[in-house]
Amino acid sequence: NGLVYVRSTATGELLAAIKIGGPAFSMAWQNEDVFVCGMAGGPIKMMEYPSGDVTQTLLGHQGQAFSMKFLEDRVTLVSVGLDKTVRVWDTAAGVELFKLTGHIGPVVGIDYSPGATVSSGTLVSVSADGTVAVWDMKSRSLKHRREAGGHLFATVSVAPDGLSFAVGGKDGTASVRDVETLEERYTVMSHT
């Protein structure tokens, strides 16, 4: 319906219904006053909260951005999408800093190691093609990529120590893997 609903995490109370002008496939908060939406067709809109006024439009993805996260500096945005890319943005300047390629299918999840910056640290992405990729921010290149034995991933989360990450699959599995080797440490199956 082209609306974003913002609710209190404490009470569930509806705080705002913001008109965004179309379907959003992903969202992330920059701070308490600004959020971003990955819109149908590829643009990422930066919007003021609660007005919904668009302050910036980031163009680059060819198709939807399925997942986005701000790095800890709250200026650098990392997005992944249908176009099989990981893109890194400077939201203050409104420009794409660089694009990472190496997935065969649409990229659906992204996370980063604690303390990651535009020039250091690690990104971890997962794709609908069943691969996980680890990227080096300093060299802006792929460190490792591995198929995950038939699992179709939907989400990823890097551990606070930066040494491992968890991936959630569409098949109801979650596994924990080593960031350096991508070796699976263990898998948990969902209850059916």
Side-chain angles (χ1 to χ4, degrees), residues 68-189:
M68 299 181 291
K69 284 200 169 193
F70 279 96
L71 297 187
E72 293 168 12
D73 66 10
R74 310 310 293 165
V75 173
T76 307
L77 178 71
V78 181
S79 63
V80 298
L82 183 65
D83 60 2
K84 308 172 191 168
T85 65
V86 176
R87 295 177 187 256
V88 180
W89 308 86
D90 177 336
T91 60
V95 297
E96 181 182 303
L97 297 172
F98 57 94
K99 171 176 68 173
L100 302 169
T101 60
H103 279 289
I104 297 165
V107 189
V108 295
I110 187 74
D111 202 5
Y112 56 86
S113 61
T117 69
V118 119
S119 59
S120 69
T122 301
L123 297 175
V124 180
S125 59
V126 293
S127 174
D129 65 13
T131 60
V132 60
V134 177
W135 309 88
D136 179 66
M137 291 290 276
K138 184 175 182 179
S139 66
R140 300 178 179 182
S141 64
L142 181 65
K143 287 175 69 172
H144 313 287
R145 183 180 67 218
R146 174 174 281 185
E147 290 187 21
H151 298 296
L152 297 179
F153 296 124
T155 189
V156 61
S157 181
V158 177
D161 64 9
L163 300 176
S164 59
F165 62 92
V167 288
K170 292 180 181 182
D171 60 356
T173 63
S175 65
V176 175
R177 295 173 177 265
D178 183 275
V179 167
E180 289 304 316
T181 66
L182 301 184
E183 291 297 321
E184 188 172 80
R185 292 184 178 171
Y186 57 90
T187 298
V188 178
M189 303 297 282

Side-chain angles (χ1 to χ4, degrees), residues 15-34:
L15 302 175
I18 303 166
K19 186 173 178 121
I20 60 169
F25 288 84
S26 58
M27 294 183 61
W29 287 92
Q30 182 178 36
N31 56 46
E32 61 196 28
D33 299 319
V34 178

